[in-house]
Amino acid sequence: MNGAVAVAEGSIGVVPMRMSHLEGVLDLGFRAFDVSAMPYTSWSLSSVAAHFDAQPEACWVAESDGAVVGFVLGSMSFDEREDWGYLEWIALAPPAQGKGVASRLVEACCQALFAAGAARIITDVEAGNQASERMMRRNHFSEGVTVTLLVRTRPDEPGGVRHPTARSRPEDPARARLRAVARRSGS
């Protein structure tokens, strides 16, 4: 079934992330984000674990019949601003989209970050991702600063164009250990 999950209307719960969700979050992220393109090249187990370790109350999942169908990861670390929260990662499986789940995830994450002392919460949306931009605006985010990512390729690359070869699932021994711990803990 390639990681796809059928979702019945109204059967999606939004709950705090637990260790048992790590594998589902990581897998959904690999399906949702193009890890060969900036800025998603940093999507990894380490990225998920860093958020979960630093700010677990700002990490939430949407689940249906025990499967992760969405997630949001936030933290109280945006650049050097200790008073700004960062809603950094959010993804939904296609069957969970258009049901208000993303807004529920955003609200849960934002409430946790405000409770942790955030004066502002920052997020970013890839240019052209109009659905995410509309969803963020519906959830009281407004454009603050626009940044254009400029890229310079290596001169020795054919045609000056780099075609990264990112694996969809990096080999990571820590991931296997985390899965084992999650299975043992049953959480």
Side-chain angles (χ1 to χ4, degrees), residues 34-42 126 164 166:
D34 177 1
V35 296
S36 67
M38 288 298 285
Y40 301 125
T41 53
S42 64
E126 186 177 357

Side-chain angles (χ1 to χ4, degrees), residues 7-33:
V7 176
E9 189 72 38
S11 68
I12 301 172
V14 172
V15 298
M17 186 173 155
R18 298 183 306 270
M19 284 290 292
S20 60
H21 294 124
L22 281 175
E23 184 175 10
V25 167
L26 187 63
D27 289 342
L28 177 56
F30 278 118
R31 290 193 316 270
F33 308 130

Side-chain angles (χ1 to χ4, degrees), residues 55-169:
Q55 207 83 43
E57 67 276 11
C59 299
W60 291 77
V61 298
E63 55 184 7
S64 178
D65 294 326
V68 172
V69 296
F71 65 85
V72 64
L73 305 175
S75 67
M76 284 296 296
S77 61
F78 183 76
D79 280 342
E80 299 299 316
R81 296 293 307 250
E82 293 180 14
D83 62 335
W84 284 14
Y86 187 24
L87 192 157
E88 185 170 8
W89 298 103
I90 184 168
L92 285 179
Q97 295 173 5
K99 295 174 171 38
V101 177
S103 290
R104 291 168 52 202
L105 288 166
V106 167
E107 186 60 25
C109 181
C110 288
Q111 289 303 318
L113 292 173
F114 284 134
R120 303 256 188 293
I121 299 173
I122 306 300
T123 193
D124 50 79
V125 176
E126 186 177 357
N129 189 341
Q130 295 174 349
S132 288
E133 182 178 343
R134 283 190 306 270
M135 186 272 300
M136 288 300 180
R137 288 183 187 279
R138 280 193 310 270
N139 284 279
H140 313 290
F141 282 84
S142 58
E143 189 171 322
V145 175
T146 299
V147 175
T148 301
L149 179 66
L150 303 172
V151 179
R152 179 177 175 177
T153 57
R154 291 171 43 137
D156 60 344
E157 290 185 26
V161 177
R162 183 172 182 219
H163 299 284
T165 55
R167 292 177 296 200
S168 63
R169 296 205 171 134

